[in-house]
Amino acid sequence: METYQLTVNGQKMEATADPTTPLLWVLREHLKLTGTKYGCGIGACGACTVHLGGEAVRSCGVSVAQVEGRPIVTIEAMAQDPVGRRVQEAWVAHDVVQCGYCQSGQIMTAVAFLKLTPHPSDANIEQSMGANICRCGTYVRIRQAIQAAAQQLK
Amino acid sequence: MTVETKSRAKHPLSRRTFLSATATAAGGLMVALYLDLPLSAQAPGAGEGVKYPPAAFVEIRPDGKIVIQVNRLEFGQGVATALPLLLADEMDADWSQVVAELAPAADIYRDPMRGIQMVGGSGSIRTSFQQYRELGARTRAMLVEAAAQQWKVAPAQCRTEASVVHGPGGQSAKYAELASEAAHLPVPVAVQLKKPSEFRLVGKAAPRLDSRPKCDGSMRFGLDLDLPGMKVALVARPPVFGGKVKSFDDKSARSVEGVRDVFEIPLVKGGSAVAVVGDGFWPAKQGRDKLQVEWDLSGLERADSARLWTKYRELARTPGNVAAAVGNEKAMDAIPATRRLVAEYEFPYLPHAPMEPLNTTVRFDGDRAEVWAGSQFQTVDQAAVAQVLGLKPTEVTFHTEMTGGGFGRRAVTDSHVQREAAEIAKRMRGIPVKLIWTREDDVQGGYYRPMHAHRAEIGIGANGMPMAWRHVIVGQSLLAGTPFAGGIKNGVDDTVTEGVADTQYAIPNLHVWAHHPTVNVPVLWWRSVGNTHTAFVMETLIDELATRAKMDPIAYRRKLLSPDAKKVRAALDLMEAKSAAWRSKLPKGHAVGIAAHESFGTGVACAAEVSIEKGQPKIHRVTVAADLGIAVNPLSVESQFQGGIVFGLSQLVPGGAITLKDGQVEQSNFDSYVPPYMGEAPLAVDVHIVPSAEKPTGVGEPPVPVIAPAVVNALAKLTGKRYRSLPLNSL
């Protein structure tokens, strides 16, 4: 076990864990930030997506030892992010969620994507969101919500 | 407006007292019966005759908040918005003040028609429509009575709106001000319900109550549960279903820092496994990875997909037990070979793979226990935990957790997940332990939609319509070996033959047979159950017959539909009208496919616009129409249909199958079992609801069956090929 100094959602946090522990489980079990979800553990579903140094990253695939010193942002901080807030509002306005379990990851992916691509085409959306699984099948509404958020961010 | 799971909230004392006092009033069922008796042998459910008392379902708080207990699991289907909507409408409640809570396991919360607390068969609205409306009307009547007594006027002189009672002399009182007085009044037996034209909320699009917490990370799902001193358990299960632990070496596993205990537990159906308990997921996972287990797999059937196909194909060519016999069995003999069509179909095992992996938390305190689970069968799972721990079901507090999908996977009659969790808790007495199934455990863990073979022989009349239809279906029974086995009639499980044996089409000579082989692979209902494969077979064959007859596929279906298939007909008409514009001007390289199917009382028709990109179907647009009675929340219906369409596409996506080799599942996670991603989903799905004042019918499952045949019917136009084996690994 080692103790790591992490910067999560702008706050300094400390976690004592085995160096191989994925960031996902440090966020969920050590820091009690359970908005980040476990879906597959192999980076295939996107439910655990967080922002690491501003990029959308699957937190199941990076260990706590790899992220020390880099800013980590989770779904819990999206309401304080101007793009994040817009995306969340668009999600609510379009009644996107069903079970909702994958939606933290969908929103985190969408926010990082919209920051890079403020005027996305359908193809851009499919390319960026195309590796996140929603078993409830909310994809049509995710597309609509992203387009709406992009409109409002103009 | 929010939905809360109640696991961490205290029950108001009044309701707690009430629940224990009326624990057997609702259904009067002995929970233990469910473990070993067929459902048909048990006492019927309470039915619509029982007068549910509002106190167990509605709480009006001093601040005006109205907390409504939802007697179902919410796992995406929207029931925790729709049931409160029904109650609030009849109650004339201020909708903006409504909060939904998922009710714990208790007799009063059993499905009024089915006798157990459950979600399944697209029945939550169907079977609680009357119940929740009456609850709302009763609550309103009691509030009005309280106001009328205060004002010394007749209740009939009062009216209600948005949580306020208005009196004849301009008096008014908020529900919150009347609540404690009203609670002491007798519960009225007969109440007047609104006419559909009087609904204020029902029938209008209501955004989900649980959207916001699901968008900001604050919604707590079962897997997010965090209790003081809680441990996490993972289980190493045998590589072949039914295997047992011969011996295990836990030395390295125990050397992992944070691993607290390693021990053997029994599994359902005679197997056993090794549980690893750790301080968190990662230590438990590392411990499990380091565990050395020698398995006893002797005497076990090693299911193998290739060998099963050989057997299933042979069986499909022999008649089995009779599932339907209409008209003359010899009618085929009179039809020349040139007018016969023989088609053989193959469908693989399919996992449900809900996004929230299976999990259950149990704390065993010796004389009682507490459970937190996302369960579609609370009554059954509560009884199972009680049995493992040697308790009575009433000694097991069972919290219904907000849940990340299920699609049937959390409606398991043997409660195997809860039993595992209880076995672990039994050893870890006093410590809450959260059992987590990893995604690998889920994909490899069985309880799949069974594999099926179909063989249909159709004799076509001179008019191009089917004259004789002989159809054999091969697939494991879903009901055999469960408390529902009484549903098997004459050796036929109609959850396997539904959609063919009771086809919506008027076929003068129809003979359907079923074989239900026993295979060492646990199987389970998968969203829309038998219709997943039967609708595919019927709707692709009907399409092929229409093509042979050189008829429009919609017109052909309309001609062949039986006169009483009114709902499918209405859906077909609406779909035709709503899709006419785009169907008439398809871009080059695009084709449209049609399918229509009734299931769970709901008629559905769909048109899909498809092209081929990179060797795979690209679905540009889907128009779907449904006749489902009153759409309680049309917004939720739209979402369920859009999502159900994507779920149905799971049948087509390359890699969307579970296969077994020598007893072992060949897939392990989303890299090898592939569900639809955004790219496989339609770009747009427009949903249209047939206007209706009839009672609501199913919503969650009916959209699933139509999409795969519609897409494949479009592909057939593009490639000239027929697709009879799923998934579509190549076109």
Side-chain angles (χ1 to χ4, degrees), chain B residues 331-651:
Chain B
M332 190 70 76
D333 300 346
I335 296 169
T338 51
R339 281 201 276 117
R340 289 191 202 178
L341 171 64
V342 176
E344 294 179 320
Y345 286 81
E346 292 176 4
F347 302 90
Y349 287 111
L350 291 176
H352 306 68
M355 287 310 294
E356 182 189 1
L358 303 174
N359 66 88
T360 290
T361 301
V362 181
R363 192 191 62 240
F364 176 48
D365 296 322
D367 56 350
R368 48 180 307 113
E370 201 162 355
V371 181
W372 294 261
S375 165
Q376 287 179 249
F377 279 174
Q378 289 101 320
T379 310
V380 176
D381 291 339
Q382 180 190 38
V385 170
Q387 192 188 47
V388 169
L389 298 177
L391 299 171
K392 297 184 193 118
T394 48
E395 292 166 335
V396 176
T397 303
F398 194 99
H399 303 281
T400 305
E401 295 294 285
M402 181 60 74
T403 300
F407 320 112
R409 185 63 181 90
R410 303 182 207 266
V412 188
T413 53
D414 69 19
S415 305
H416 64 103
V417 176
Q418 286 69 38
R419 283 175 187 274
E420 284 180 6
E423 292 287 356
I424 295 164
K426 189 156 78 177
R427 163 106 167 201
M428 306 295 293
R429 189 179 283 222
I431 297 171
V433 184
K434 175 160 62 184
L435 167 67
I436 300 178
W437 278 47
T438 63
R439 180 59 61 193
E440 289 81 2
D441 297 339
D442 175 52
V443 169
Q444 305 203 306
Y447 299 85
Y448 307 123
R449 194 289 303 269
M451 58 185 272
H452 293 280
H454 284 238
R455 185 178 193 275
E457 184 176 10
I458 302 161
I460 305 165
N463 62 354
M465 309 310 279
M467 278 298 294
W469 191 302
R470 298 164 63 85
H471 197 132
V472 183
I473 304 175
V474 184
Q476 284 166 264
S477 167
L478 297 175
L479 304 182
T482 79
F484 300 103
I488 301 172
K489 300 277 184 258
N490 306 319
V492 176
D493 178 343
D494 68 6
T495 66
V496 178
T497 60
E498 60 183 354
V500 176
D502 59 350
T503 180
Q504 62 207 12
Y505 294 111
I507 298 165
N509 303 288
L510 171 72
H511 295 82
V512 182
W513 295 270
H515 295 276
H516 300 308
T518 303
V519 182
N520 182 25
V521 177
V523 291
L524 191 61
W525 19 69
W526 192 87
R527 191 173 179 180
S528 84
V529 196
N531 302 288
T532 57
H533 53 100
T534 58
F536 186 87
V537 172
M538 294 305 290
E539 286 304 292
T540 52
L541 285 173
I542 294 296
D543 204 74
E544 198 167 338
L545 293 172
T547 305
R548 271 177 81 136
K550 299 192 169 53
M551 276 180 73
D552 171 73
I554 298 175
Y556 188 91
R557 282 176 172 82
R558 197 175 278 129
K559 187 173 173 188
L560 189 60
L561 277 172
S562 103
D564 54 7
K566 293 193 179 73
K567 289 187 147 185
V568 180
R569 199 177 289 274
L572 205 57
D573 290 348
L574 185 60
M575 179 277 286
E576 184 179 41
K578 295 292 183 184
S579 62
W582 67 259
R583 279 189 294 114
S584 66
K585 45 177 187 211
L586 290 175
K588 195 164 182 288
H590 290 215
V592 60
I594 303 292
H597 190 72
E598 180 170 331
S599 58
F600 307 93
T602 291
V604 183
C606 123
E609 179 188 343
V610 180
S611 69
I612 296 174
E613 282 180 18
K614 295 177 191 145
Q616 281 300 316
K618 180 74 191 168
I619 306 163
H620 300 271
R621 184 196 328 238
V622 174
T623 293
V624 59
D627 187 348
L628 42 85
I630 293 170
V632 172
N633 182 2
L635 187 58
S636 168
V637 170
E638 183 180 72
S639 283
Q640 283 300 293
F641 270 70
Q642 290 173 332
I645 294 268
V646 175
F647 200 82
L649 288 169
S650 305
Q651 296 218 77

Side-chain angles (χ1 to χ4, degrees), chain A residues 1 20 25 28-29 32 34 37-40 44 88-89 95 97-99 101 126 133 135-136 139 141, chain B residues 76 208 212 214-215 220 223-224 280-282 352-353 439 618 638-640 642-643 650 669 676-677:
Chain A
M1 297 277 171
T20 64
W25 295 104
R28 288 179 53 80
E29 294 187 340
K32 313 292 184 195
T34 52
K37 302 302 186 195
Y38 165 65
C40 71
Q88 286 176 324
E89 290 306 320
D95 218 44
V97 311
Q98 290 186 29
C99 87
Y101 191 81
E126 194 168 308
I133 299 172
R135 249 343 232 151
C136 299
Y139 300 123
R141 298 181 102 83
Chain B
R208 297 180 68 101
R212 202 165 284 279
K214 286 177 174 177
C215 291
R220 294 282 177 267
L223 201 73
D224 301 331
F281 176 91
W282 198 245
H352 306 68
R439 180 59 61 193
K618 180 74 191 168
E638 183 180 72
S639 283
Q640 283 300 293
Q642 290 173 332
S650 305
N669 202 318
Y677 287 80

Side-chain angles (χ1 to χ4, degrees), chain A residues 71-123:
Chain A
I72 300 156
V73 178
T74 70
I75 186 70
E76 284 87 354
M78 278 303 98
Q80 282 79 56
D81 179 296
V83 178
R85 192 166 58 243
R86 283 284 178 216
V87 170
Q88 286 176 324
E89 290 306 320
W91 244 247
V92 172
H94 285 80
D95 218 44
V96 168
V97 311
Q98 290 186 29
C99 87
Y101 191 81
C102 75
Q103 299 294 351
S104 297
Q106 304 277 4
I107 289 172
M108 295 307 285
T109 309
V111 171
F113 154 62
L114 279 173
K115 286 182 177 180
L116 289 174
T117 317
H119 310 294
S121 65
D122 276 343

